[in-house]
């Protein structure tokens, strides 16, 4: 079996910033062992949001979702690891914060469907497209991290392609 290091995109939404949760959420990713390969603060604009949430443009919540996402700056992060898309979705929890498992980010910090703290890519293909959407090539970093050999076992490291 072969394994691949993949990347995923996370957005810390305006409510995470306003509720002073940025540091705590970033710390959770660090402690889990996810490698931060990109991180910046940006203001989202219509063009980017229409692309990012375009598949919801006919939904009744679309306008409200866009206003919410523009209400404060956001933090966008690109994270790297083995099977990371799935791992981050598990850390994040389901969309509706009030029924998300305790221990997940939404389960611990959100009571809402809309203001649910965080976005995370839901598939490898979407992660790739979303990272391209939010980061220029020179905003993504390829560097050696010293915990790598303890984060993954020798079998996993030998299966990496
Ligand atoms: N959303 C909303 N109302 C809804 C469903 C979703 O405002 O009824 C927002 C919410 O912020 C959610 C985002 O739209 O995170 C994207 O929805 P999706 O179903 O893709 O949820 P996610 O993948 O973020 O869990
Ligand atoms: Mg989604």
């Amino acid at each position: 079996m072969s394994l691949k290091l993949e990347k995923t995109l996370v957005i810390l939404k305006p409510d995470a910033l306003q509720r002073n949760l940025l540091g705590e959420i970033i710390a959770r990713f660090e402690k889990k062992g996810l490698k931060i390969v990109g991180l910046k603060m940006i203001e989202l604009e219509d063009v980017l949001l229409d692309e990012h949430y375009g598949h919801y443009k006919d939904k009744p919540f679309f306008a409200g979702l866009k206003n919410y996402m523009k209400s404060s700056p956001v933090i966008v992060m690109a994270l790297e690891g083995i099977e990371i898309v799935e791992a981050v979705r598990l850390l994040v929890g389901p969309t509706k914060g009030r029924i998300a498992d305790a221990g997940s980010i939404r389960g611990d910090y959100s009571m809402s469907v809309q203001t649910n703290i965080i976005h995370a890519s839901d598939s490898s293909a979407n992660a790739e497209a979303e990272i391209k959407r939010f980061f220029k090539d020179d905003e993504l970093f390829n560097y050696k991290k010293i915990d790598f050999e303890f984060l993954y076992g020798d079998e996993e490291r030998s299966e990496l392609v």
Side-chain angles (χ1 to χ4, degrees), residues 13 53 55-56 61 64-65 68-69 89 92-96 106 113-116 118-120 122:
K13 295 178 175 181
Y53 285 130
H55 49 300
Y56 296 133
F61 62 81
L65 172 61
Y68 155 54
M69 293 299 289
R89 290 288 288 194
V92 164
T95 311
K96 190 196 279 187
R106 287 170 172 168
V113 174
Q114 184 192 67
T115 56
N116 57 6
I118 186 164
H119 164 84
D122 63 4

Side-chain angles (χ1 to χ4, degrees), residues 33-157:
L34 310 184
K35 183 176 174 186
I36 300 170
V37 295
L39 190 155
K40 61 182 178 177
M41 179 182 270
I42 57 172
E43 273 179 338
L44 294 175
E45 282 163 10
D46 285 324
V47 177
L48 209 54
L49 283 169
D50 287 341
E51 210 181 300
H52 186 64
Y53 285 130
H55 49 300
Y56 296 133
K57 70 175 187 323
D58 297 324
K59 296 280 186 193
F61 62 81
F62 184 63
L65 172 61
K66 278 178 61 180
N67 285 336
Y68 155 54
M69 293 299 289
K70 290 191 289 186
S71 62
S72 293
V74 299
I75 302 292
V76 286
M77 300 174 74
L79 300 168
E80 187 181 85
I82 294 177
E83 292 172 359
I84 195 167
V85 173
E86 191 183 354
V88 170
R89 290 288 288 194
L90 286 170
L91 292 177
V92 164
T95 311
K96 190 196 279 187
R98 56 187 176 271
I99 57 108
D101 279 343
S104 68
I105 293 168
R106 287 170 172 168
D108 286 353
Y109 301 128
S110 168
M111 278 298 286
S112 171
V113 174
Q114 184 192 67
T115 56
N116 57 6
I117 303 285
I118 186 164
H119 164 84
S121 309
D122 63 4
S123 69
S124 301
N126 284 342
E128 214 172 295
E130 291 177 359
I131 287 171
K132 280 208 183 86
R133 180 173 304 147
F134 288 97
F135 287 95
K136 300 189 187 105
D137 284 348
D138 65 1
E139 293 173 329
L140 293 168
F141 297 87
N142 188 4
Y143 61 98
K144 188 173 160 59
K145 195 140 182 304
I146 58 170
D147 59 8
F148 183 74
E149 289 186 8
F150 290 91
L151 202 49
Y152 298 106
D154 51 1
E155 285 192 10
E156 288 156 337
R157 282 180 281 120

